[in-house]
Amino acid sequence: MPSSSADNIRLLCQEFGIDTEYWDIWGHHHVVEPASLLSILGSFGLDVSSPDSLAESARLRAVRVGSRPLDPVAVLTVVEAKPGVPLRVPSEYLADGQVAMALYWEDGWAERRDFQISSLDTGTSDGLLLPLPAPLRLGYHDLEIVIKAPERPDLRSTQRIIVAPEKAWLPEQLKHGGRAAGLAVSLFGLRSERNWGAGDFTDLANLTDWVARALGAGFVALNPLHAIHNRQPYNTSPYLPLSAFHRNYLYIDVEVVDDFKLCPTALAVFQGPVFQKELAAVRAAEFVEYERVARLKLGLLRLLFRRFLREEWSRNTTRAQVFRKWIAERGDLLDRFATYCALDESLHKQNRDLWIWPDWPEPYRNPESPEVRNYAQTHWRRILFHKYLQWQIDLQLDAVQTRTRRLGMPIGLYHDVALATDRCGCDLWAYRDFFVTGARVGSPPDDFAPEGQDWAFPPPNSETHRENGYRLFVESIRRNARHGGALRIDHVMRFFRLFWIPDGANAAHGTYVNEHWQDLLRILALESVRGRFLIVGEDLGTVPPCLREAMDQFSMLRYKLFYFEKGNDGLPLPPRQYPRSALVSSTTHDLPTIAGFWAGRDIEARRTAGVLNDQELYERQKSERREEKHRMIEALVRDGFLPGNFPREAADWPELTGELHNAVIGYLVTTPSRLMLLNQEDLTKELDQQNLPGTTWQYPNWRRKTIFSVEDLAGSKRAGDYALMFRSWLERTGRISVPSAESPRS
């Protein structure tokens, strides 16, 4: 490759934030191949077919960007003493030109100022600095300017101004040394005597009562509640949703929808023997039966909607007016989601082989096509039904979070937002320009995946997000944090960089592409303060040093796992060495439970599933697990959680004893970290994890139900013993959030 061409690629990679080299977790240096760099540059819309075409397309882009006086968005902090934004002015306007500026604050108030261009300070290498009125106000504002000069045409430009706080929100209990604890649950897996085969919002409400009163804990952590297709085995992961902006109707408690008791038809179906037989079957099933549960709920919910349409919507009752207002507030995002869901149903009904939108007839693949608009007009009832489902979700989830506040929980519901969105789902159909084509997201080699990982979904298009003023990004945070006091960001490194893999290549040929992380963290802090929810960033894996420094700066909690935090001696870190600005957890959905770790259940599960077929590797993993258990015992003895005479041969035991269980919980609870999170499976000593990475149909991923029903938690002696053990640790360490809680045996 000619040196001039290589230099051009290097400069363009620098401009677009593409790393031309990186270091993996083992300290190995990787130099990225030119072909991979060219492919990724092509994903940004540059013509990479030849060196000349690349240079020309880059030149045209530079002209386009440089001709715009203002960038599409500026993200500032409220404490800036002399706030301003970069301004690009053509040379012929510099001598005697003027700038007329109007800043429209989000409350509608406007401030106008005029400047002589010659009086403006030099801002950055990009141009001058346009002063903004001080002090700045938190929020989303709009800036308009007109550049004038004698005998020159007026130049107009607009910019979205986002003003953020210095730090994210924290509840009072967590300031000045306070700490809290919570229980993590997979909502779909909650077992109860009254649900319809999958956990629902009434189960969640009853569980939060128990968590507050029996455990004295401050929050309940949930799996992402994103909308999914509810099809086994490929469309059940809450971490690969069809939409990250909307939630799964499977969690609706149909029996508490206002229309249920007012609909004789629905009541008759519900009470009928056929329905009750199927209901009993899915309730008693070992695993969550997604399609069957969805069929039961949708059938009844359609009857309730017809009743609502006939009795409320057509008469414009008070409830109908509330619904209309709710729809209007959610705008285009809800319209497109509901249209997608209705189209998906209609087209699949016509052709049972149509499962994904890329296979739909061509006119329906574009949400703005005349055919889609015509469909929306003629099938408005079907579309309105899916809006009705989201409304019911919103009402029921709001009621649960309100209940947690009344119980005295400082956080209440702790939500989770997935990194990915299904490339064959609604978000890609509705907002294709916001995703890159020609590359997928993955990860470089690390301890978890020595060959690297290919996650098979497209990266976000940061250029489009900036052009849009980050509006879609804001909604992704705001909607997922709604009705909650905390938001976990899966793979928080997404805000700093993502590992891109060019199409046609594997993870070995990928590299990191950097994001505008200052903008994203500031917006996250703004939404956190306005929505009063704290931020937890899952920062596992290979991360740049600046990531954790920035998280500390913005009061965003890091994510620490018991299995991964080790000292130089290979032993688990002493609890006192955990950072304060963090959440410490026992495990995750992708890792073994504590009891499963002790029994080697995850190793056996991989062997049974056929993803661990090598006998030598299997034996080595079992041997390494024994060593890990031995080191765990050494650390628990060292730190006083087990007596000095505790038998070291316990590393050979297949069962997690009560003494070991108590010691591990105590170890986690006594860390100085602001939050401690215990998985429900680890409270009740369950063996099996929710998800086994690398499998689909070979393992019941995202389908496991709890061993205790919600009712059993309050009535079972064994569950009561577990609760008493956990609560006693919270009391001893000052993590109690609901001190007036009832006894777990009451």
Side-chain angles (χ1 to χ4, degrees), residues 211-419:
V211 169
R213 292 173 174 152
L215 305 182
F219 62 99
V220 173
L222 301 169
N223 56 279
L225 303 183
H226 303 315
I228 60 176
H229 280 113
N230 298 309
R231 296 191 294 246
Q232 298 162 203
Y234 300 107
N235 300 119
T236 58
S237 172
Y239 289 93
L240 190 64
L242 69 91
S243 176
F245 301 99
H246 302 91
R247 287 168 164 157
N248 192 349
Y249 64 81
L250 213 71
Y251 300 125
I252 295 174
D253 180 356
V254 179
E255 296 175 66
V256 302
V257 175
D258 287 343
D259 298 288
F260 182 74
K261 292 180 180 177
L262 301 173
C263 183
T265 306
L267 286 170
V269 171
F270 173 71
Q271 293 167 356
V274 174
F275 190 95
Q276 285 295 314
K277 181 179 179 181
E278 177 67 357
L279 180 57
V282 295
R283 190 179 287 156
E286 180 182 5
F287 301 115
V288 176
E289 298 291 341
Y290 280 87
E291 286 102 335
R292 294 168 68 185
V293 175
R295 201 155 42 239
L296 285 175
K297 292 203 172 188
L298 283 179
L300 265 290
L301 286 165
R302 289 189 196 282
L303 294 176
L304 304 190
F305 173 70
R306 288 171 192 164
R307 184 262 161 204
F308 175 83
L309 202 62
R310 182 179 64 253
E311 302 295 336
E312 310 267 4
W313 187 265
S314 63
R315 300 177 182 180
N316 200 26
T317 64
T318 300
R319 275 186 76 216
Q321 292 173 26
V322 170
F323 184 33
R324 283 188 165 95
K325 180 182 178 184
W326 185 90
I327 290 172
E329 289 171 349
R330 273 137 195 86
D332 182 70
L333 276 169
L334 182 62
D335 285 340
R336 293 201 177 193
F337 173 75
T339 301
Y340 167 89
C341 292
L343 266 171
D344 187 46
E345 288 179 347
S346 297
L347 295 174
H348 181 64
K349 188 175 181 180
Q350 294 172 18
N351 181 350
R352 291 295 179 180
D353 292 328
L354 289 181
W355 293 100
I356 55 176
W357 69 261
D359 291 341
W360 291 355
E362 181 66 36
Y364 295 109
R365 297 178 200 171
N366 181 356
E368 297 178 357
S369 72
E371 289 81 0
V372 171
R373 287 197 295 269
N374 181 63
Y375 176 89
Q377 292 173 354
T378 57
H379 294 79
W380 66 268
R381 292 175 184 82
R382 187 183 290 270
I383 292 171
L384 189 64
F385 169 66
H386 290 282
K387 296 180 181 181
Y388 174 84
L389 295 183
Q390 292 300 310
W391 183 43
Q392 297 307 315
I393 293 169
D394 198 59
L395 292 172
Q396 293 191 12
L397 196 54
D398 181 26
V400 178
Q401 178 64 358
T402 300
R403 189 168 180 167
T404 69
R405 298 304 196 192
R406 290 173 181 163
L407 289 165
M409 303 175 87
I411 296 171
L413 299 181
Y414 163 120
H415 292 299
D416 194 348
V417 57
L419 163 66

Side-chain angles (χ1 to χ4, degrees), residues 609-627:
V611 295
L612 183 57
N613 293 322
D614 185 285
Q615 182 66 25
E616 183 180 346
L617 180 59
Y618 168 70
E619 295 296 340
R620 185 166 71 247
Q621 288 192 3
K622 289 205 301 182
S623 175
E624 290 172 350
R625 178 59 54 83
R626 184 186 181 281
E627 293 173 6

Side-chain angles (χ1 to χ4, degrees), residues 81-98:
K82 295 182 178 180
V85 295
L87 177 68
R88 289 181 287 270
V89 179
S91 58
E92 60 267 29
Y93 289 77
L94 292 175
D96 51 3
Q98 293 182 320

